């Protein structure tokens, strides 16, 4: 396909990330994450977040989320999340696998954001011996439907969870897009998030993600946990180097800002020049469109990759590599439907 709007995973590595791998490939380095590249990349993440934290780099977002949740909940407990969250819909039970039985409880809410009342109701349910009680909350920023939580919205969700003594995880696979949309990364630790997955792959890295543990007690024997899970890289510098390149050059933020801009261009063109309507607010790099199956099939047949999402709308995702020409050509194809 000439242009792919199916996912921001379909784009290649951003030049800054790829160049960093090539640069850091020179010579020798200590193994298993004890190298200078890993240390420098971790420092840059701490700088972005304005927080002290223990950081580890892993091979995938699924593993990062699942290992993080296993830190916050025992096997006989559960994690509360939006019902459309990636951990609930696209990780094949990995949180339960890595957490030796940790459960997931899906909560409702418009456009990927957890409804505060639904959360409070879940927290107020009596604990009984026949089901897994909640022990943690998982939040996604930006959400699976391309919306961005405000600081105030997050506060209303995190505070009641913290009052119960539960942990908080944030899936930041598209955190760069949230930051580009105006979300202040420095608020994450201050709001009470215990462990964050700092996204790399969708921001232009290879398949690398970073687990950021603000609660340093979670880091106890974390290297043993990651080794057992097959997430310890012998040549760790090659997981950290893409982050180093993206963060040193600001390509992590700049690429996300470009992706968001392309999504806005696409959304404006659909709203202003087609018969279709948007299904959700466009705040990051994804556009969801109400489109009949026949029109969607025709678009796919013309060579445009886009997928029908959980709510029935068709999702178009922009990335650091999306071109204005591609957006305009897609808009012409949509108008032709």
């Amino acid at each position: 396909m000439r242009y792919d709007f199916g996912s921001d995973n379909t784009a290649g590595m951003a030049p800054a990330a790829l160049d960093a791998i090539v640069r850091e490939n020179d010579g020798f380095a200590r193994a298993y994450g004890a190298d200078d590249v890993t240390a420098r990349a971790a420092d840059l993440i701490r700088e972005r977040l304005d927080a002290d934290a223990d950081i580890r780099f892993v091979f995938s977002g699924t593993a990062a989320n699942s290992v993080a949740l296993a830190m916050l909940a025992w096997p006989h407990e559960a994690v509360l999340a939006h019902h459309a969250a990636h951990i609930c819909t696209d990780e094949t039970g990995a949180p339960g696998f890595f957490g030796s039985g940790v459960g997931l409880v899906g909560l409702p809410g418009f456009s990927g954001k957890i409804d505060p009342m639904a959360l409070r109701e879940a927290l107020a349910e009596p604990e009984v011996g026949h089901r897994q009680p909640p022990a943690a909350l998982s939040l996604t920023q930006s959400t699976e439907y391309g919306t961005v939580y405000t600081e105030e919205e997050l506060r209303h969700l995190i505070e009641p969870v913290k009052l119960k003594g539960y942990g908080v995880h944030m899936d930041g696979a598209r955190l760069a897009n949230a930051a580009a949309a105006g979300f202040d990364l420095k608020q994450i630790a201050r709001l009470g998030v215990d462990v964050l997955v700092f996204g790399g792959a969708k921001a232009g890295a290879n398949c690398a993600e970073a687990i950021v543990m603000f609660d340093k007690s979670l880091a106890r024997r974390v290297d043993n946990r990651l080794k057992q899970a097959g997430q310890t890289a012998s040549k760790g510098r090659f997981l950290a180097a893409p982050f180093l390149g993206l963060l040193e050059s600001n390509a992590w933020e700049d690429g996300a800002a470009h992706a968001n801009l392309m999504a806005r261009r696409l959304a404006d063109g659909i709203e202003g020049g087609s018969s279709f309507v948007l299904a959700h607010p466009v705040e990051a790099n994804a556009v969801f469109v109400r489109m009949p199956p026949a029109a969607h099939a025709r678009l796919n047949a013309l060579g445009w990759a886009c997928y029908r999402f959980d709510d029935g709308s068709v999702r178009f995702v922009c990335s650091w590599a999306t071109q204005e020409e591609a957006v305009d050509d897609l808009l012409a194809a949509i108008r032709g439907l």
Side-chain angles (χ1 to χ4, degrees):
M1 294 183 179
R2 185 182 180 193
Y3 302 127
D4 194 315
F5 287 83
S7 172
D8 36 9
N9 286 320
T10 62
M13 292 179 66
L18 188 58
D19 289 348
I21 285 185
V22 174
R23 181 180 71 241
E24 303 303 339
N25 185 54
D26 186 49
F28 299 86
R30 295 182 67 184
Y32 297 106
D35 58 277
D36 179 62
V37 177
T38 298
R40 286 155 54 203
D43 282 342
L44 287 175
I45 291 175
R46 294 186 192 99
E47 181 182 305
R48 291 299 200 284
L49 300 170
D50 191 28
D52 190 18
D54 278 334
I55 297 173
R56 299 293 188 275
F57 297 94
V58 298
F59 292 103
S60 78
T62 293
N65 285 331
S66 301
V67 168
L69 294 177
M71 296 174 181
L72 299 177
W74 290 99
H76 57 278
E77 296 175 327
V79 175
L80 301 170
H82 192 278
H83 66 78
H86 204 267
I87 59 172
C88 293
T89 62
D90 291 283
E91 296 187 354
T92 321
F97 176 79
F98 281 86
S100 302
V102 166
L104 299 171
V105 178
L107 299 176
F110 291 113
S111 301
K113 294 182 178 181
I114 294 172
D115 181 87
M117 185 61 69
L119 174 63
R120 289 180 182 275
E121 289 176 357
L123 293 174
E125 286 190 9
E127 291 188 15
V128 297
H130 301 284
R131 58 176 178 264
Q132 293 169 294
L137 171 69
S138 179
L139 299 161
T140 306
Q141 181 75 317
S142 56
T143 75
E144 296 297 335
Y145 283 104
T147 54
V148 178
Y149 281 110
T150 66
E151 177 189 341
E152 191 66 18
E153 287 173 329
L154 289 173
R155 191 180 306 281
H156 284 307
L157 296 173
I158 292 173
E159 284 184 351
V161 171
K162 286 293 183 175
L163 286 173
K164 298 281 286 188
Y166 300 162
V168 177
H169 157 260
M170 180 174 283
D171 179 352
R174 295 187 175 95
L175 187 62
N177 301 99
F183 177 66
D184 183 2
L185 298 178
K186 296 178 181 179
Q187 296 301 322
I188 296 174
R190 296 168 190 167
L191 285 165
V193 173
D194 295 293
V195 57
L196 162 73
V197 175
F198 190 96
K202 291 177 171 61
N206 44 6
C207 298
E209 307 287 314
I211 301 176
V212 181
M213 293 159 281
F214 299 110
D215 178 355
K216 289 193 169 186
S217 70
L218 299 175
R220 180 178 179 270
R221 295 178 175 172
V222 66
D223 294 316
N224 305 83
R225 185 190 292 270
L226 291 173
K227 183 70 172 183
Q228 186 183 66
Q231 290 297 313
T232 301
S234 57
K235 298 184 179 182
R237 58 175 157 162
F238 297 115
L239 288 183
F243 283 93
L244 187 64
L246 290 170
L247 295 171
E248 281 184 334
S249 64
N250 289 316
W252 190 79
E253 294 91 346
D254 293 344
H258 171 77
N260 290 5
L261 184 64
M262 292 299 98
R264 186 70 262 169
R265 184 185 186 94
L266 177 59
D268 289 345
I270 290 171
E271 283 191 306
S274 81
S275 59
F276 304 109
V277 297
L278 302 181
H280 301 281
V282 178
E283 297 173 351
N285 65 319
V287 180
F288 293 81
V289 183
R290 296 293 180 200
M291 184 177 289
H296 178 214
R298 175 61 178 154
L299 199 59
N300 286 160
L302 291 171
W304 295 96
C306 52
Y307 300 101
R308 192 165 297 278
F309 214 63
D310 298 7
D311 69 333
S313 64
V314 176
R315 186 186 76 164
F316 300 85
V317 186
C318 299
S319 73
W320 68 269
T322 302
Q323 304 167 6
E324 287 188 9
E325 175 193 6
V327 174
D328 293 343
D329 286 354
L330 173 57
L331 287 171
I334 290 173
R335 286 193 293 268
L337 297 176

